Amino acid sequence: MTKTIRTSVCIIGSGPGGLLLSQLLAGQGIETVLIDRQDEAHIEGRIRAGVLEQGTVDALEEAGVAERLHREGLQHDGFELAFDGDRHRIDLQALTGCSVTVYGQTEVTRDLFASRHQQAQQFFFNAQDVRPVSLKSDRPEVHFVCDGRPYIVSCDFVAGCDGFHGVSRQAIPQDVLRTFERVYPFGWLGILVDRPPASHELIYANHARGFALASMRSETRSRYYVQCGVGDTVDDWSDERFWEEFAARLGPDAARGLQTGPSFEKSIAPLRSFVAEPMRYGRLFLAGDAAHIVPPTGAKGLNLAVADVRLLARALSEHYTNHNDHYIETYSETVLRRVWKVERFSWQLSNLMHQFPENTAFEKRMQRAEFDYLCSSEAASRTIAENYVGLPLE
Ligand code: RFL
Ligand code: PHB
């Protein structure tokens, strides 16, 4: 028999966006139900983002889940760009007065799950056939099946935080939804290795053999990436092949501090820029990867999801606390204005730092000229820095 549950906000997707929204709303006394098609271990185990903007750290603080982040997160005051072995440091602190924090998405997610469980949050994991319906009515519903039993969540609002492959965006009629997309002709192969980072700051390198990124998770754990073919599989990339490519692309100077070892995680991610408009349809709101994707080059995906959710939490809390729907009405427009700016930055940095198979000799010279300009112009470096540390929320 179908079980009906009543709540204020039904959140589809229990990734970092959905979890944070639930946590922020709980802080305002607003009840939520969280539904995910995966289980908790799977969600927590996804190795993804590593760099948090100050605004993201602020949001996690506001949500009361930043204690471990402050203990274990690494503050980074700058990062490097490298071009065929030549290096240029972007001094985030000097150029913007801000820093970023290196703290894995797995850790953010774990901290949020711990707090939600402590507050007895209602979760449904391994949910199947999740369907948001009646979104234009005053009482939308989310239908799904869990452990073989059908459920209906009857709510005031639905938050679609179900990532790029979720169902929420699909619930917006085709004649309302507009999408914009660029698919890049390569992917990123990432590994985790228990060796100290090659450098104490991140290095983004463009080399004739392709892009490489030296990142980290802690003082003893490194996260490294190389640009790979779209059709590549992890079986094409033995550890030996990875280390050889990675060292060559970083250049002899940066590779000097490199300690190799057996990788314990290896995965490939395609690169895409994508935006769906509008981000609200009736009582459904999209947030995070459900509405937009950026290539990982600017470290923006998780940070964008957090920014969306902060604005959504404000809109919903104004509705419940002050009967003010201004922020609900303007949610899509406000969020999209920022989303497009971040899309632009991620696209531009991706264009600068990768080898594109279709690039002519002229375009390769343009990339080099842009890098040389960055090295010689504080204004150009500041533009990168200002975007990297995070644009204002509005
Ligand atoms: P998520 O994390 O994809 O979570 C969506 C959740 O929805 C669930 N779901 C469903 N639930 C119910 N019904 C359905 N039909 C459902 N379909 C899906 C899923 O199981 C999942 O639990 O979206 P969210 O919360 O919007 O968060 C977005 C971030 O995860 C993402 O933007 C970042 O990981 C992107 N990203 C990075 N972002 C950064 O800010 N800094 C970085 O350094 C960074 N590095 C990266 C990245 C992403 C990468 N990959 C693998 C794409 C590096 C990589 C390699
Ligand atoms: C990461 O550490 O996974 C990472 C860091 C910076 C990026 C992308 C990914 O731009």
Side-chain angles (χ1 to χ4, degrees), residues 291-364:
H292 41 70
I293 297 287
V294 285
T297 326
K300 291 295 165 210
L302 171 61
N303 291 300
L304 256 190
V306 168
D308 291 2
V309 156
R310 293 180 88 182
L311 292 167
L312 182 51
R314 176 183 71 177
L316 293 170
S317 119
E318 278 292 312
H319 169 87
Y320 285 106
T321 318
N322 297 327
H323 309 291
N324 169 14
D325 281 353
H326 170 74
Y327 294 109
I328 284 185
E329 298 300 337
T330 54
Y331 171 77
S332 178
E333 189 190 316
T334 307
V335 171
L336 280 167
R337 203 173 309 120
R338 188 175 189 281
V339 164
W340 277 113
K341 288 186 215 165
V342 179
E343 288 281 348
R344 187 205 65 83
F345 173 66
S346 306
W347 163 81
Q348 186 195 35
L349 200 58
S350 300
N351 287 344
L352 174 66
M353 297 311 294
H354 291 85
Q355 290 290 318
F356 287 75
E358 72 271 20
N359 269 4
T360 63
F362 178 81
E363 280 143 347
K364 287 183 208 267

Side-chain angles (χ1 to χ4, degrees), residues 47-51 102 188 202 204 211 213-217 223-225 295-300 349 388:
I47 312 293
R48 288 180 163 188
V51 178
V102 171
W188 276 22
L202 270 65
Y204 294 82
F211 168 83
L213 167 61
S215 181
M216 66 196 72
R217 288 294 175 272
R223 176 71 165 156
Y224 295 144
Y225 297 94
T297 326
K300 291 295 165 210
L349 200 58
Y388 198 83

Side-chain angles (χ1 to χ4, degrees), residues 80-120:
E80 283 191 61
L81 296 175
F83 213 103
D84 286 336
D86 296 336
R87 298 162 74 175
H88 172 61
R89 180 166 187 263
I90 304 283
D91 188 334
L92 298 172
Q93 260 300 332
L95 292 164
T96 68
C98 297
S99 308
V100 292
T101 303
V102 171
Y103 191 68
Q105 179 166 330
T106 43
E107 309 311 311
V108 172
T109 310
R110 186 182 305 165
D111 296 343
L112 282 164
F113 267 126
S115 182
R116 294 317 305 126
H117 284 310
Q118 207 182 14
Q119 295 178 27

